Amino acid sequence: MCIRDRYNKHGDMVWITAALGVVYSKATRSQRFFTGHENDILSIAMNPADGVTVATGQWTGNKSQGQAYDPKILVWNTEDCSTIVELTGAHQRGISCLAFSSSGNRLGSVGMDDQNSVVVWDWKRGKALGSAKGGANQILMISFDNADDGRFFTVGAKTSAFWTVSPGGKVAKKTAVFGRKYKPQSMMVASAHRGGFLSGAYQGELYEWTGNSVSKVVPNVHGGALFALFVNDKHVVTGGKDGVVALRDIALELVKTFEVGGSIRSVHLHDGNILVGTFEGSILEINVQSGQTEVIMMGHGGAKESRYAGETWGLDTSPDNEHYASVGDDRTIRVHHVESHECVAFFNELPHRARACSWHPDGKQLAVAIHDGSIMVFEFHPGSSELRQVAQFQKRNFTQLPMFPNQGGIDELRFSPDGCMLATGSHSEGKNATGGAVDVWRTDKWTLMSSCKGHTSFVRHVDWTVDSQYLQSSDGNPELLFWSARDGAQLKGGATMLKNAKRASFSTNVGWPVQGVIRKLPGFVKEMDMTDINMCDVSPDESLLVSGDDFGNVALYNYPCTNKADAAALYTGHSSFVMNVKFSKDGRYVMSAGGHDNTILQWRVN
């Protein structure tokens, strides 16, 4: 989740994640949501004229899921999260960037088609005034002139251009001139400045433009790409890949720098505070006068081995009923408080990606499945932000696989109800192996007790019976198998033998209690197949079933759900596969993890 955030005129923080627009009130520490999008929101712009209206642009819809194919732009009010106008019909694939003119009357947008089409809208009338081809190189930002709604600047991958819009709607492009003195390079961001423009360069310089030419370059503004830029009538704020936020005066003289960490992707100055968003999924607020930094939100994102942001799968709710934990491909652990929604503990240095986590029944230990095949155990004490590692052990080794880390790993683990054992579900290690395995570990000394072998695909779900004697597991085929935990013996007649055995959880997408969740969803062309359900969970009182699916839905059913005609309530907000869902231990909340959107959502159960 790469954060792009803004303040509105009331000082509320506005950002996008997954398919949601989020408005956060620091005064009340509460969030409200704009839910008009059904796919990834890629871009956001704040109207400078009123400070409350924003525009957000999304990825194209999926026809097979009953969504409009045209990627839409929605203009909405951050005070009540109501839609003002929907703009469609001018772009393909998605909306990469947006900008309002200084008067607020016009909106510029850039599409993700082969020619990066540029469109200027009279958004209040819901009408496109004009459009033009932006060129084959990707455009990353658009910015209007401070005094002229008919002039704007675009920058991107080895492309920078100035544009004019005639009263009749003709959009004309003029290539930016670097001249002999300055090196042409990719520009990441742009903003109007003193009758001209500024742009941030891939190599960390700040370029000043007059007319359509470079007039000045400030070198070494950042030690790496300059990704974030904000300008008002007194100050210029920049943020870079080096994790530094720099405050300058309007003449570009350095005033102050702030070491924030991460890769800075957005900055916004308002009432003496700088709002910062990072590639790693965090939101921070810097008080300019004191230099103090407050963490507003700490999320997931920014896989360390590539520019790819990775995925977030691992999620579990604590037995203490006050916390939940999440882990992701970004090699981090986050522990959040259920009521305050704050990240209260974290660990940022896992050795590899992580796809699963599980709380011990005592609520003090958290086991994390590492993608290389190892298991790490951390100790958590409420009131302390530290997660202290207390154990690490391993049987499976996936580092030798030819496509590691994109191959192999442990996708699930779960403590036994009595806390004496930990079961892990893995992929195949290769070497002529046919499928994954379930390993059962003793928790007193973290030694291997048994291995359950018989799956023909990777193990995705593991559930215990309440007496901690037996396991059920399902794999990617999907196939449901049953085991004796202590010796690893497969129970060939397990479905019958354990028919009346009470489960401590039911996470699998296979079995009589969940067979009704495989159905044709409203507006969809085809019916689901069994692989479309990624995770299930049953409420503590066994009255409700929640599932997460490949279409971004969090679905609620009565438990058991044995018929496709059984009532269902579908909830949207994710823009990716929902890889995990968990009830809180009192059943009042559901937590969900979106894979590619790297977003954890908390839902109230009414």
Side-chain angles (χ1 to χ4, degrees), residues 17-35:
T17 184
L20 295 172
V22 183
V23 183
Y24 174 73
S25 169
K26 188 178 176 183
T28 61
R29 295 194 175 275
S30 62
Q31 296 177 1
R32 52 190 185 271
F33 304 99
F34 177 73
T35 59

Side-chain angles (χ1 to χ4, degrees), residues 399-477:
T399 59
Q400 304 305 314
L401 294 176
M403 295 180 64
F404 181 84
N406 297 315
Q407 185 181 12
I410 295 174
D411 288 348
E412 180 64 304
L413 77 171
R414 205 176 284 260
F415 281 100
S416 60
D418 63 9
C420 295
M421 291 169 282
L422 174 69
T424 65
S426 70
H427 284 240
S428 167
E429 290 180 273
K431 302 176 184 177
N432 300 317
T434 56
V438 177
D439 295 321
V440 181
W441 301 81
R442 290 178 50 174
T443 59
D444 55 352
K445 297 181 180 179
W446 303 112
T447 55
L448 185 66
M449 175 180 287
S450 65
S451 292
C452 310
K453 298 179 180 179
H455 281 289
T456 55
S457 182
F458 60 91
V459 178
R460 183 67 184 95
H461 308 97
V462 177
D463 298 296
W464 289 88
T465 55
V466 295
D467 61 7
S468 300
Q469 296 299 308
Y470 303 103
L471 290 161
Q472 67 178 23
S473 57
S474 62
D475 60 30
N477 279 331

Side-chain angles (χ1 to χ4, degrees), residues 47 49-50 53 75 84-85 87 100 103-107 121-127:
N47 187 340
D50 62 21
T53 304
V75 182
I84 299 171
V85 67
L87 308 173
F100 282 96
S103 71
N105 293 324
R106 290 185 178 180
L107 176 69
W121 303 82
D122 179 347
W123 65 269
K124 294 178 181 178
R125 297 170 58 196
K127 177 183 177 182

